[in-house]
């Protein structure tokens, strides 16, 4: 009996050990499966970013593929005649002429000589018609020397009779940089090529060398820094004052490498912060170079600002005094789009939950397209009627999905982002002037990101600060419909020759000023 009892005891222990081991293996298997799924998601996302389309647009044809005839049909629309079709086709031929109508025209005429204007029968030929061919003529950069000669005058009678001889000097415009070869046009050209067209200074050095001018990139860099520090900073500081008087702004930030920052290694990451106005008020874009991404930087730059600030999900903007943060639904939508792309190809067309989240975002953006040209009051009322119910349903759906998703999965991260950011994502309902996304900032910071790819880094903090100033001026100019080159040339002609302590004189040079000459504006 005792041996049977011991045997049963051992068997029970063995079964219990096996059950525990089985449970442990099942737990480990579940954890490994979760990790494997996460790695597969990351692999698919990396493949999508590397080889796939970067567009996040949802093709409406995919949603209406089998409903095209019913959705697009208009039975009351009359059938077009061949005459209508032919006329429309002919009309398209005028597109080239419309493109060229505002450009200066140089006309070259080709005529027969008087001796050749004789028919074989002996009679004179007359002009029957003309044939016209149009070409675009492009004149590449040309370099010449402008020699400023100022005459000095004196009175011969006073030279002979008086103790003092009056000297009268003809007026001459002040130079951009005293003792320098740089002219307003040269400064504007180099700045435009670097900060608008993304052409690094070393390539401009090579370009100038081919034109017969040997200017080192160090000289060009000095011109950029001095032009920004001496003159453009006056406009930058004035624009900063106007920026803080607005009540709706957008903000964003991106990385920058500066090689020679005191006390930091060359590999350290610095940041270029961006602040800009919204859909109302004078259009201005300001960049701010800082060594870190700490929240003290927007707190300092926006000191005195009160109102709404459009941002992405970065926590560094939290806690800014007297500021209501407005979240970016484009970021939320992007996360659902990534969650969809992270799925295996065979599951992407299935009715998965990620599509539901994407659909909520699409509905909200579709509503915005309907009221794009509405007044702020009309937009506010329309949102309360149409957008708020969608947002309420979206929030209920997020709360339902929260406990049912793996937090580290792409879909789980999309759910967590929306729930954590909800107060910011729904803030657009408070004012009809607000926007659903922070795309304005992303569009404005993109020129810097593209330029960064070309010149990779800044050498010194002084150069990075000058770049922030110049980018601010040229991007604000573009926002106000100005030609950056013409505007910069005008600034460097006027700024050395005005009283820079006179704020009204500076205001007349700001990008939105009505006092700017028409030559500064892009001709439409």
């Amino acid at each position: 009996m005792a041996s049977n009892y011991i045997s049963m005891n051992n068997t029970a222990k063995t079964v219990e050990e096996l059950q525990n081991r089985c449970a442990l293996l099942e737990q480990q298997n579940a954890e490994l499966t979760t990790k494997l799924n996460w790695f597969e998601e990351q692999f698919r996302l990396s493949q999508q970013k590397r080889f796939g389309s970067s567009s996040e647009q949802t093709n409406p044809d995919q949603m209406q593929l089998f409903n095209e005839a019913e959705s697009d049909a208009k039975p009351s629309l009359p059938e077009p005649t061949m005459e209508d079709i032919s006329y429309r086709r002919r009309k398209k031929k005028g597109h080239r002429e419309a493109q060229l109508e505002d450009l200066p025209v140089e006309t070259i005429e080709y005529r027969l000589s008087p001796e050749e204007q004789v028919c074989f029968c002996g009679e004179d030929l007359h002009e029957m018609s003309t044939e016209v061919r149009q070409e675009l003529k492009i004149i590449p950069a040309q370099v010449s020397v402008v020699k400023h000669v100022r005459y000095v005058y004196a009175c011969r009678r006073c030279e002979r009779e008086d103790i003092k001889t009056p000297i009268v000097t003809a007026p001459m415009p002040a130079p951009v940089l005293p003792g320098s070869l740089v002219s307003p046009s040269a400064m504007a050209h180099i700045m435009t090529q670097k900060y608008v067209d993304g052409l690094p200074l070393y390539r401009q050095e090579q370009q100038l060398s081919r034109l017969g001018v040997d200017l080192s990139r160090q000289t060009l860099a000095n011109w950029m820094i001095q032009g920004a520090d001496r003159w453009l900073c006056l406009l930058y500081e004035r624009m900063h004052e106007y920026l803080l008087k607005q009540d709706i702004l957008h903000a964003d930030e991106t990385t920058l490498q500066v090689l020679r920052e005191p006390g930091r290694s060359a590999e350290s990451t610095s940041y270029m912060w961006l602040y800009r106005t919204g859909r109302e008020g004078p259009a201005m874009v300001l960049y701010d170079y800082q060594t870190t991404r700490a929240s003290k930087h927007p707190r300092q730059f926006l000191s005195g600002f009160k109102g709404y600030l459009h941002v992405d999900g970065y926590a560094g903007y939290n806690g800014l005094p007297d500021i209501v943060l407005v979240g970016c639904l484009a970021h939320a939508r992007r996360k659902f789009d990534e969650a969809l792309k992270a799925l295996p190809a065979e599951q992407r067309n299935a009715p998965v939950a990620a599509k539901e989240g994407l659909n909520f975002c699409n509905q909200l953006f579709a509503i915005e397209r309907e009221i794009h040209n509405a007044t702020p009051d009309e937009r506010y009322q329309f949102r309360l009627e149409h957008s708020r119910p969608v947002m309420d349903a979206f929030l209920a759906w997020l709360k339902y999905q929260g406990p049912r998703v793996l937090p580290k999965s792409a879909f789980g991260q999309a759910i967590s982002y929306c729930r954590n950011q909800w107060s910011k994502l729904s803030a657009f309902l408070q004012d009809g002037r607000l926007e659903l996304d922070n795309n304005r900032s992303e569009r404005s910071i993109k020129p810097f990101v593209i330029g960064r790819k070309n010149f990779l880094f800044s050498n010194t903090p002084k150069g990075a600060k000058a770049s922030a100033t110049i980018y601010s001026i040229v991007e604000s100019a573009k926002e106000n419909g100005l030609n950056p080159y013409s505007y910069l040339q005008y600034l460097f002609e006027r700024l050395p020759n005005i009283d820079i302590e006179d704020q009204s004189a500076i205001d007349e040079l700001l990008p939105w000023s009505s006092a700017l000459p028409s030559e500064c504006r892009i001709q439409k």
Side-chain angles (χ1 to χ4, degrees):
M1 286 291 291
S3 63
N4 287 341
Y5 178 76
I6 293 172
S7 177
M8 289 174 63
N9 246 358
N10 291 337
T11 302
K13 286 182 179 179
T14 303
V15 171
E16 185 179 357
E17 288 174 358
L18 290 173
Q19 286 176 338
N20 290 339
R21 181 170 176 78
C22 184
L24 180 62
L25 289 173
E26 286 179 352
Q27 181 183 349
Q28 290 176 345
N29 183 57
E31 291 175 355
L32 290 172
T33 301
T34 301
K35 287 182 179 179
L36 177 63
N37 290 337
W38 185 83
F39 281 119
E40 286 179 341
E41 274 191 350
Q42 298 306 305
F43 175 74
R44 285 190 289 268
L45 280 176
S46 66
Q47 292 294 93
Q48 167 66 30
K49 290 177 181 177
R50 186 177 179 186
F51 301 111
S53 170
S54 61
S55 173
E56 299 169 13
Q57 292 184 355
T58 302
N59 188 349
D61 295 338
Q62 293 176 351
M63 314 300 289
Q64 300 287 340
L65 184 61
F66 301 106
N67 194 33
E68 183 178 6
E70 289 76 9
S71 63
D72 294 344
K74 293 183 180 179
S76 61
L77 191 68
E79 189 75 16
T81 64
M82 283 300 295
E83 183 178 350
D84 292 333
I85 295 172
S86 300
Y87 173 74
R88 287 171 189 161
R89 286 177 179 169
R90 286 198 302 270
K91 191 174 181 180
K92 288 182 180 178
K93 292 182 180 179
H95 179 64
R96 177 181 293 179
E97 283 70 22
Q99 285 183 312
L100 305 179
E101 64 182 0
D102 292 327
L103 297 177
V105 177
E106 173 188 351
T107 302
I108 303 176
E109 296 183 342
Y110 303 90
R111 300 173 182 271
L112 294 176
S113 64
E115 294 79 12
E116 295 171 314
Q117 296 182 30
V118 179
C119 181
F120 64 87
C121 70
E123 290 292 319
D124 291 340
L125 299 176
H126 70 279
E127 294 180 2
M128 183 183 71
S129 63
T130 58
E131 295 178 0
V132 179
R133 182 184 85 230
Q134 296 191 109
E135 299 173 340
L136 278 178
K137 179 180 179 180
I138 298 177
I139 302 174
Q142 298 177 351
V143 180
S144 60
V145 176
V146 178
K147 185 180 291 187
H148 295 270
V149 180
R150 177 159 63 170
Y151 287 85
V152 181
Y153 299 85
C155 174
R156 295 195 181 280
R157 179 179 176 182
C158 290
E159 287 177 352
R160 291 192 305 268
E161 300 176 0
D162 291 350
I163 299 174
K164 292 184 178 180
T165 302
I167 304 295
V168 181
T169 305
M172 182 174 69
V176 181
L177 302 176
S180 170
L181 284 172
V182 68
S183 67
S185 62
M187 184 77 86
H189 176 73
I190 295 164
M191 280 188 177
T192 303
Q193 290 217 103
K194 178 173 171 62
Y195 296 99
V196 179
D197 300 328
L199 191 67
L201 293 181
Y202 79 89
R203 292 187 193 165
Q204 295 196 53
E205 177 186 26
Q206 296 168 354
Q207 189 182 69
L208 289 168
S209 179
R210 291 193 295 271
L211 294 171
V213 180
D214 290 324
L215 287 172
S216 69
R217 71 193 74 173
Q218 289 77 19
T219 298
L220 302 181
N222 289 339
W223 289 355
M224 297 299 97
I225 292 173
Q226 292 184 55
D229 288 352
R230 184 187 290 259
W231 303 119
L232 297 186
C233 67
L234 300 172
L235 275 71
Y236 180 94
E237 291 165 1
R238 189 63 173 153
M239 288 166 63
H240 190 191
E241 293 176 15
Y242 277 106
L243 187 86
L244 298 179
K245 294 177 182 178
Q246 308 302 311
D247 59 353
I248 296 177
L249 297 179
H250 295 246
D252 202 358
E253 73 288 331
T254 189
T255 58
L256 171 68
Q257 185 182 2
V258 180
L259 298 183
R260 299 174 186 169
E261 287 177 317
R264 305 182 80 203
S265 66
E267 295 78 18
S268 299
T269 299
S270 299
Y271 284 85
M272 190 69 82
W273 297 74
L274 176 137
Y275 307 90
R276 62 153 300 150
T277 50
R279 69 173 83 204
E280 294 191 351
M284 60 187 100
V285 181
L286 295 184
Y287 291 80
D288 181 40
Y289 156 71
Q290 297 292 345
T291 55
T292 69
R293 204 187 183 195
S295 61
K296 64 181 180 181
H297 301 308
R299 185 180 295 270
Q300 179 180 357
F301 193 90
L302 295 175
S303 177
F305 168 72
K306 297 179 181 180
Y308 296 97
L309 181 66
H310 289 80
V311 296
D312 54 20
Y314 175 50
Y317 297 104
N318 294 344
L320 295 176
D322 302 316
I323 291 177
V324 177
L325 299 180
V326 184
C328 180
L329 271 158
H331 274 73
R333 187 191 182 283
R334 189 172 303 150
K335 292 189 178 295
F336 286 113
D337 183 70
E338 288 179 354
L340 199 59
K341 290 173 180 176
L343 294 172
E346 63 273 10
Q347 295 183 25
R348 293 175 193 169
N349 294 324
V352 293
K355 274 190 176 179
E356 296 178 18
L358 194 62
N359 187 49
F360 279 115
C361 298
N362 286 344
Q363 289 182 59
L364 293 167
F365 281 104
I367 292 170
E368 287 302 301
R369 286 192 290 272
E370 290 185 45
I371 52 177
H372 178 70
N373 295 319
T375 65
D377 289 338
E378 291 171 342
R379 193 178 295 114
Y380 173 74
Q381 295 297 332
F382 197 87
R383 285 173 175 172
L384 292 182
E385 184 178 350
H386 297 86
S387 300
R388 185 182 287 279
V390 177
M391 291 293 285
D392 292 340
F394 191 12
L395 180 59
W397 179 82
L398 289 169
K399 290 178 178 178
Y400 172 80
Q401 293 291 343
R404 293 169 172 78
V405 297
L406 294 172
K408 290 187 178 181
S409 67
F411 181 54
Q413 290 177 5
I415 296 293
S416 298
Y417 177 87
C418 291
R419 295 191 66 179
N420 294 337
Q421 297 285 320
W422 189 255
S423 62
K424 302 173 189 175
L425 294 177
S426 56
F428 77 96
L429 295 170
Q430 299 178 26
D431 193 310
R433 297 171 299 165
L434 300 176
E435 301 175 46
L436 262 68
D437 54 51
N438 196 26
N439 287 348
R440 283 184 187 272
S441 285
E442 292 195 4
R443 288 194 298 269
S444 294
I445 211 165
K446 191 174 182 180
F448 171 78
V449 173
I450 294 173
R452 182 184 62 194
K453 289 180 180 179
N454 288 323
F455 50 79
L456 300 179
F457 53 80
S458 293
N459 273 323
T460 64
K462 202 169 184 180
K465 184 179 179 182
S467 293
T469 301
I470 299 170
Y471 268 117
S472 300
I473 301 302
V474 298
E475 289 304 313
S476 297
K478 287 158 64 176
E479 286 286 322
N480 286 276
L482 302 181
N483 181 319
Y485 168 77
S486 302
Y487 178 55
L488 287 172
Q489 181 178 6
Y490 180 72
L491 291 181
F492 289 119
E493 288 172 351
R494 296 285 299 136
L495 284 167
N497 296 285
I498 64 172
D499 179 7
I500 59 175
E501 300 297 327
D502 183 0
Q503 293 288 6
S504 61
I506 298 295
D507 286 350
E508 289 185 352
L509 300 177
L510 293 174
W512 58 86
S513 170
S514 59
L516 294 175
S518 59
E519 292 77 17
C520 292
R521 307 184 189 281
I522 295 175
Q523 303 301 319
K524 297 181 180 179

